[in-house]
Amino acid sequence: MSLKTLAFRSIDLLAPVTPFSLTRNMIGNPLFLPFYHVVSDHDLPHIKHLYRVKSKRDFSADLEFFLKHYTPIGPDDLLEAVNKDLVLPPNAFLVTIDDGFTECEQVIAPLLKQKGLPAVFFLNTGFLNNADISYRNKASILHDRILKNPPSPGTKNEIHRILDSAKVAQSPLEQRLHQVSYQDRAILELIADALDTSFSEYLADKKPYMTDDQVRGLLKDGFHIGAHSVDHPLYSRLTLEDQFQQTRESMQETARRFDLNYRFFAHPFMDNGISADYFDTLVDNNEINLMFGTSGLMADPCPINFQRVFMERSADRNARAEINEEMLKTLARRLSDQNTVTRSKAVIDSDN
Ligand SMILES: [Zn+2]
């Protein structure tokens, strides 16, 4: 067994008993960028089967924890540090929120304001004003529908046949819904029809995303916004051309619509598998000021791309436990010199 494997296997045992400040000092007090999607005390069918929905109380406790152990910075501080090659204060942190759900303006922003904390909210331009909803959220809605109102055996068979047509791997029905890819997302509409469910009715009724006016309210309160692609595809499965199209269209539309004098972008899902060519081109053209991924505390070879820590992974862990685990993983990766994201050259696929 390698040292790294041994270290990773020990993390579950070590995380609860390792003093937080000790681990943080060991990794050198790096910039900490937590990211969230939603905070709510209500039932959210479009999210609850994807990741943990933190309550207001739990999110407030996270913010208290950050304020106690970290130094808040704004995205302008990060941008200045990048542009002027400055060193950020030790244990700097900046909260970021992805996907542009209505709770950003209704719940998260008021709690951040109470604590005087800056934040960046990243929006999908295809979903603003509830024009549509991400295919992953559609899967969660269908999952919820099946649990709350189990379909007849005939309807279940019909849904399995639809999933078979997209070659979705065999597993229990609810799990199969979550395996539908961005490329096959149209079949979720067929499944919704089979379940007598309508996503457009869901959007009209629940209004899960922010409106332009809500986004303008965030800006008025001093928060920053950025783009998060048009309709939330997994970039590693897109061609380089489509990656650029998603990034540029959403970035330009966000900047135009909200009259921004900066360009911030967070990659949907993760930036793993995106080529070095993509990042080099965006940096060389000076198209974006700051970009973000979701690989925890890993370092990034692109000078304007920063990795963030997912704070909604576990149903029962507080911020201290989540971050401690992430820091121990970082130490384990450093043992084998693997704590920097690696990226290959672009593969030009002639079939696309
Ligand atoms: Zn997202």
Side-chain angles (χ1 to χ4, degrees):
M1 189 187 297
S2 75
L3 200 54
K4 187 185 164 204
T5 312
L6 182 67
F8 266 93
R9 289 202 181 160
S10 312
I11 285 172
D12 283 349
L13 299 172
L14 287 173
V17 294
T18 313
F20 178 82
S21 48
L22 173 72
T23 330
R24 200 185 47 183
N25 287 339
M26 281 168 74
I27 64 165
N29 309 308
L31 171 65
F32 168 51
L33 299 166
F35 86 95
Y36 295 84
H37 297 87
V38 77
V39 173
S40 177
D41 292 338
H42 301 289
D43 182 47
L44 300 177
H46 57 290
I47 293 174
K48 66 192 279 194
H49 301 292
L50 303 178
Y51 44 78
R52 171 185 180 180
V53 175
K54 282 207 172 180
S55 66
K56 282 197 224 177
R57 204 183 71 169
D58 288 347
F59 181 65
S60 295
D62 284 9
L63 298 183
E64 288 293 335
F65 181 82
F66 301 156
L67 278 166
K68 193 169 165 199
H69 295 278
Y70 292 90
T71 304
I73 59 163
D76 36 0
D77 299 315
L78 181 56
L79 186 55
E80 194 185 12
V82 168
N83 289 342
K84 298 183 179 167
D85 210 12
L86 304 176
V87 178
L88 287 165
N91 303 314
F93 89 103
L94 169 63
V95 176
T96 63
I97 319 282
D98 288 4
D99 290 16
F101 292 117
T102 190
E103 288 79 8
C104 291
E105 188 263 353
Q106 292 180 346
V107 183
I108 297 175
L111 292 172
L112 289 165
K113 259 173 85 175
Q114 264 178 26
K115 315 264 187 215
L117 286 173
V120 188
F121 295 87
F122 293 100
L123 319 170
N124 294 106
T125 47
F127 308 145
L128 259 178
N129 302 301
N130 297 292
D132 199 353
I133 184 164
S134 157
Y135 73 104
R136 296 291 295 120
N137 298 104
K138 286 178 179 173
S140 184
I141 291 168
L142 296 174
H143 183 157
D144 206 60
R145 165 73 174 73
I146 287 171
L147 291 187
K148 286 180 180 156
N149 190 359
S152 68
T155 304
K156 271 189 159 184
N157 283 340
E158 189 186 342
I159 298 170
H160 276 298
R161 274 198 300 277
I162 296 169
L163 290 158
D164 290 343
S165 73
K167 299 191 170 58
V168 176
Q170 294 297 330
S171 55
L173 186 54
E174 295 89 332
Q175 285 173 31
R176 289 191 91 189
L177 297 171
H178 295 287
Q179 292 165 30
V180 174
S181 67
Y182 172 83
Q183 283 71 15
D184 289 324
R185 64 196 183 283
I187 70 164
L188 294 170
E189 303 289 340
L190 303 177
I191 297 170
D193 285 346
L195 288 167
D196 209 12
T197 292
S198 156
F199 298 126
S200 48
E201 273 174 29
Y202 189 95
L203 282 162
D205 181 34
K206 309 260 191 204
K207 299 184 175 60
Y209 293 103
M210 284 190 284
T211 62
D212 282 11
D213 282 347
Q214 285 179 293
V215 176
R216 289 195 186 96
L218 294 178
L219 291 168
K220 216 170 117 225
D221 282 339
F223 294 110
H224 287 70
I225 61 164
H228 189 48
S229 80
V230 176
D231 60 356
H232 216 288
L234 179 63
Y235 269 40
S236 59
R237 289 204 55 196
L238 297 183
T239 61
L240 182 61
E241 189 186 346
D242 286 346
Q243 291 169 357
F244 280 133
Q245 193 270 332
Q246 285 275 343
T247 299
R248 286 171 173 151
E249 185 183 327
S250 63
M251 192 70 261
Q252 287 161 12
E253 176 61 16
T254 305
R256 185 198 63 77
R257 200 182 276 234
F258 300 107
D259 200 18
L260 305 180
N261 60 3
Y262 54 84
R263 304 281 184 276
F264 301 155
F265 184 85
H267 295 94
F269 298 114
M270 60 191 82
D271 62 19
N272 307 38
I274 305 179
S275 67
D277 305 66
Y278 165 91
F279 287 94
D280 291 348
T281 305
L282 294 174
V283 172
D284 290 348
N285 293 349
N286 201 17
E287 292 180 62
I288 296 185
N289 305 120
L290 294 174
M291 293 193 280
F292 298 89
T294 59
S295 295
L297 291 167
M298 289 184 82
D300 200 288
C302 174
I304 66 164
N305 196 47
F306 294 87
Q307 298 300 330
R308 304 175 294 161
V309 178
F310 186 32
M311 299 301 296
E312 298 159 327
R313 200 188 311 270
S314 163
D316 54 0
R317 269 191 306 210
N318 60 17
R320 175 190 292 268
E322 290 280 12
I323 305 164
N324 229 8
E325 181 180 315
E326 199 57 48
M327 292 195 297
L328 289 166
K329 280 187 196 161
T330 302
L331 286 173
R333 281 191 295 258
R334 283 189 190 166
L335 283 175
S336 47
D337 210 11
Q338 290 176 352
N339 198 48
T340 300
V341 176
T342 50
R343 295 206 180 87
S344 53
K345 301 293 285 177
V347 177
I348 307 301
D349 187 344
S350 56
D351 292 341
N352 287 290

